[in-house]
Amino acid sequence: MCEPKRICIVGSGNWGSAIAKIVGKNVQSMDEFATEVTMYVYEEMVDGRKLTEIINTEHENVKYLKGHKLPENVLAVPDVKDAGKDADVFIFVVPHQFVSGLCKQLLGNVKPNAMAVSLIKGFEVSDNGLQLISDVIRNALSIECSVLMGANIASEVAGENYCEATIGCKDTNMGQLLKRLFQTEYFRIVVADDEKTVELCGALKNIVAVGAGLGDGLGYGDNTKAAVIRLGLMEMIKFCEEFYPGSKMATFLESCGVADLVTTCYGGRNRRVAEAFIKTGKSIEELEQEMLNGQKLQGPPAAAEVNVMLKAKKMEERFPLFTAIHRICIKDLPAKDFIGCLKNHPEHM
């Protein structure tokens, strides 16, 4: 009989903690997984106490997921190497800006037959161009990496509101193992083999959500937001076709695609901060610090990273929504011009 697989969650923000609640409970009823789940926690002081101490004694992440208890078998660990020791499955759920650094710390301490799954919605820019986060993990640690994306606002998942998610995985057995690890009565999973498109949807929808927030801040209503969502979806599809050929149209209809896009454009942090960006005149960086309690925005950096690719291929005019959002975020274009940039969208020509 195979040894039970040990799980390590790399990250402990609101989404990481919500996933820890799911995984911590699921492993207790399945022999194929070890009962203890380690969770790497960036150590912080909260009201004079270490965050790891609070999580391990009170079983609650009081900073990032207040009001939701974590299973007692979830162990908060402040060193990622210690957290990942002997792990068979790594669940990456940190801001994409920190992935490479954490992988460097893990390097040399990962089993050759381990696997990873990324819940991270973003890209990384390197000397070799734009990289998907799953590729960053795969290349850094020399292990397979799948993805999990979907219409999943962390507080709602932690509150056990019904929702769906998509696992992108080319390996059928690995995909089914991950489905067993994550699925609950309220968190339903579909496995798709179109791995790259699942991940791209997760990153690109954050850009569109910024556009939805800009429209809200400018005082436009639901008709305008619907247009932003539709045009954003068309640019997401076109971007995938142009830069990652082979995408399946059906993938955009999964939770990772249109469902996540709609949810984020109405309820996500990127929308909220973009609206405040218009109404307050403050910078994105200032608002991130004021509004997100230590969390990071993904939309503006994703827009900048995508713009690098569009500019290199002289394709900015073919993606006016993506381009306008990036330019507004860096204050290269007045926000009041946002809707004007969409009126002559190629979709209307």
Side-chain angles (χ1 to χ4, degrees):
M1 185 175 175
C2 295
E3 284 287 314
K5 295 188 182 300
R6 299 181 63 83
I7 312 299
C8 172
I9 301 172
V10 182
S12 58
N14 60 354
W15 188 212
S17 298
I19 284 297
K21 178 184 175 183
I22 288 174
V23 171
K25 183 177 180 181
N26 280 355
V27 298
Q28 294 179 52
S29 61
M30 289 185 276
D31 292 338
E32 65 183 313
F33 299 111
T35 304
E36 183 181 81
V37 174
T38 57
M39 178 171 70
Y40 163 64
V41 175
Y42 177 77
E43 193 69 279
E44 302 177 67
M45 299 301 291
V46 179
D47 296 330
R49 297 174 65 194
K50 292 180 179 179
L51 183 55
T52 52
E53 177 195 331
I54 296 171
I55 293 172
N56 288 334
T57 56
E58 298 176 19
H59 309 292
E60 181 181 347
N61 188 335
V62 296
K63 178 163 186 182
Y64 296 112
L65 198 67
K66 194 174 180 65
H68 298 280
K69 290 294 183 180
L70 302 180
E72 294 186 12
N73 58 317
V74 174
L75 178 67
V77 181
D79 184 289
V80 73
K81 285 187 290 186
D82 291 341
K85 185 180 180 183
D86 297 324
D88 299 287
V89 181
F90 288 88
I91 301 170
F92 280 85
V93 55
V94 292
H96 74 274
Q97 300 93 323
F98 303 129
V99 173
S100 287
L102 289 168
C103 285
K104 285 178 183 175
Q105 293 180 57
L106 286 167
L107 195 60
N109 295 282
V110 176
K111 293 179 179 180
N113 60 342
M115 65 179 76
V117 55
S118 170
L119 281 60
I120 301 165
K121 298 172 178 178
F123 300 102
E124 178 167 296
V125 176
S126 68
D127 294 338
N128 300 320
L130 207 63
Q131 279 191 295
L132 298 176
I133 298 301
S134 63
D135 287 333
V136 173
I137 296 167
R138 191 179 290 115
N139 295 336
L141 301 180
S142 300
I143 59 175
E144 279 306 310
C145 184
S146 302
V147 297
L148 184 149
M149 305 284 156
N152 308 134
I153 292 175
S155 59
E156 294 186 17
V157 176
E160 301 188 5
N161 294 353
Y162 175 79
C163 62
E164 300 176 310
T166 312
I167 287 176
C169 184
K170 293 176 183 175
D171 183 304
T172 303
N173 292 332
M174 182 176 171
Q176 291 304 313
L177 181 143
L178 292 173
K179 181 174 181 173
R180 293 191 296 274
L181 179 62
F182 288 110
Q183 181 159 272
T184 71
E185 285 298 310
Y186 61 88
F187 190 62
R188 308 306 286 176
I189 304 289
V190 172
V191 181
D193 62 5
D194 191 9
E195 196 174 273
K196 288 191 184 302
T197 307
V198 172
E199 184 170 7
L200 284 160
C201 284
L204 295 172
K205 59 92 187 182
N206 284 325
I207 304 174
V208 185
V210 173
L214 295 176
D216 289 342
L218 291 166
Y220 290 94
D222 286 340
N223 289 349
T224 302
K225 184 174 288 188
V228 170
I229 290 171
R230 191 190 78 82
L231 293 172
L233 179 61
M234 298 309 294
E235 290 196 13
M236 287 167 60
I237 293 169
K238 189 184 298 181
F239 184 89
C240 291
E241 290 174 344
E242 186 68 40
F243 293 96
Y244 297 88
S247 296
K248 297 177 182 177
M249 189 59 64
T251 306
F252 294 97
L253 302 179
E254 295 290 351
S255 181
C256 63
V258 67
D260 195 9
L261 177 62
V262 171
T263 295
T264 309
C265 287
Y266 277 92
R269 71 183 77 156
N270 290 282
R271 189 216 63 79
R272 286 191 294 112
V273 172
E275 181 180 15
F277 175 72
I278 298 296
K279 290 183 173 180
T280 66
K282 295 180 180 179
S283 70
I284 294 288
E285 293 75 20
E286 286 177 290
L287 292 166
E288 185 179 64
Q289 289 184 347
E290 289 178 13
M291 297 175 65
L292 298 185
N293 191 33
Q295 297 178 76
K296 294 292 183 182
L297 273 185
Q298 307 294 12
E305 291 149 6
V306 163
N307 188 256
V308 171
M309 295 180 74
L310 297 180
K311 189 172 285 186
K313 285 203 169 188
K314 296 182 171 56
M315 294 176 66
E316 288 173 292
E317 289 185 4
R318 290 177 56 189
F319 293 83
L321 185 141
F322 285 177
T323 301
I325 289 167
H326 168 62
R327 291 183 61 200
I328 290 168
C329 285
I330 63 170
K331 298 198 170 181
D332 184 48
L333 179 73
K336 63 181 176 61
D337 293 344
F338 176 56
I339 300 301
C341 293
L342 305 184
K343 290 180 179 177
N344 294 314
H345 197 285
E347 282 293 309
H348 301 145
M349 297 297 107

